[in-house]
Amino acid sequence: MRGRVILAKKTIDDVDVRGKRTLVRVDFNAPQGEGGAIADDTRIRAALPTIRALLARDAAVILMSHLGRPKGKPDPRYSLAPVAQRLSELLGQSVALAPDCVGPATAALALALEPGGALLLENLRFHPEEEADDPAFARALASLGDIYVDDAFGAAHRAHASTAGVAAYLPAVSGFLMQEELRALGAALDHPERPFAAVIGGAKVSSKLGVLQHLLTRVDLLLIGGGMANTFFAAQGYAVGTSLLEPDLVDAARALLEDAKRSGAQIVLPTDVIVAERVALDAAHRAVGIAEVPPDWSIVDIGPKTRSIFAHALASCKTVLWNGPMGIFELAPFAEGTRAVAQAVADSGATSIVGGGDSVAAVEGMGLAGRMSHISTGGGASLEFLEGKTLPGVAALEDK
Ligand code: ADP
Ligand code: MG
C-alpha cells in the first residue's frame, strides 16, 4: 500500500509567539571530545534557524535536550554546559544554563526570562522520568512554557516526556528543522519525481529489513550494497567466505527478491566485489565476481563493475534516497564504492536525500554534502520514517 505520508504539521509560523515562553525541544546531543568540549556542532547549528526566528519574534526561548546516556541521574560528564557556551557563541547572545530541567530554581529562571532571551535547561536524561514518558514529569516541563515547539527530528522516534508527553499540555508545533525533515523525507516517499531509486547499504540487513520492505513498495529501483548485500548473495546461492553474513535473514532476503518480481520495482545487487584477506588497512585485496569469493576472504566493498552499473543507473534518476555505505569506508582502500555512489548521486542532478549517521559522515568526509538536496539529521528517526512508521514525536504535533 502506498499510503500518504506527507505530514502537514503546524509550525512556528502558524502560532503567535510574541511575548510567549516557547519551550523548544532540540537535539543538542552533539559529539564531545576531550574534557567534554563539543567535537561537532552540526546539531547545534541545525537548530539555529528556529531559535533565531523565535528570538526575532520576541519570544522567550527555553531550550531542552538530552546529551548522551547519563542513565537517569545527574552526571557532570553529560552536562549541557559546553553546549550552552557554543550556542551563545553561535547566537551572539548569552544563553544561560539552568541548574536542572525541572524544579523551583529552573522554573524561576524560566519565568524571569524576557522576550528575546534564551535559556537552556540541563540534560533531560538526568531524570529517569524523561525516557519513561512520565506524565507528571511531562507536565512539569510543560509548566515552563506557553507553547511547545519540537525541532528535534533526531529524537522523534522516541516516545519520551520531552518529545511526546509534553505535547498533551501545551499547543504543540514544529520548528523549521523538523518541518524540513518531514517535507523532504515525506515528499520522497509520497510523490517522488520518477525514476525514484533507493541506494541501501550499511552493515546489516537486520537493522534495515523494514526499510527495504517499505521502500520496495515505493521505488522504481533498489540498489543494495554494503555488508547487507552478502545476505542477498547467500540467498542467491553464492558463497561469501568470511564476510559479514546474517544466516537468519537469508530467507527474508530471498522473500524480498521474490516481492520485487511482483511489485515491479527492480532490485540491483552487486555483480562484483572487493575482497580482502583481512579487514585491515594493509590487507591484500582485489576485485572478484560474486561467484569467485575465496573461502577465507571477506567482502569489504562493491567492485568496479558494480560502481559503474550503480552510477549509470543513478544518472537517469530524478529522486535518490541513500542510506548506508557501500563498503567498510572507514578504511580508505575500501571507500571507493561509497565514494562512487556519493559522486554519482551528486552528479545525477536528482533530488537527493541522504540519511544514516555513517552515510552522512561519509558524504561529509568526501566533501559532497553540499551537493545533496537534503541531509537528514536523524539516523534512527529517518530509518523509522522510511519504514513507514509513525514517529511519536511527529504524531504529537498539531495538524495544519
Ligand atoms: P548508516 O549509519 O549510514 O545507517 P550503517 O550503520 O547501517 O549505516 O552501516 C555502516 C557500517 O557498515 C560502517 O561502519 C561500514 O564499515 C559497515 N559496512 C559496510 N560495508 C560492509 C561490509 N561489506 N562488511 C562489513 N561492514 C560493512
Ligand atoms: Mg550507523
Side-chain angles (χ1 to χ4, degrees), residues 208 356-359:
K208 295 180 186 173
D358 293 292
S359 316

Side-chain angles (χ1 to χ4, degrees), residues 201-203 208 226-227 244 299-300 323-330 355-359:
K208 295 180 186 173
L244 178 69
I299 299 170
V300 291
N323 178 288
M326 297 292 100
I328 305 178
F329 74 99
E330 295 92 337
D358 293 292
S359 316

Side-chain angles (χ1 to χ4, degrees), residues 72 124-138 160-162:
L124 291 157
R125 291 193 186 168
F126 285 176
H127 295 264
E129 296 89 344
E130 158 66 357
E131 291 179 80
D133 193 10
D134 178 80
F137 182 75
H160 293 169
S162 69

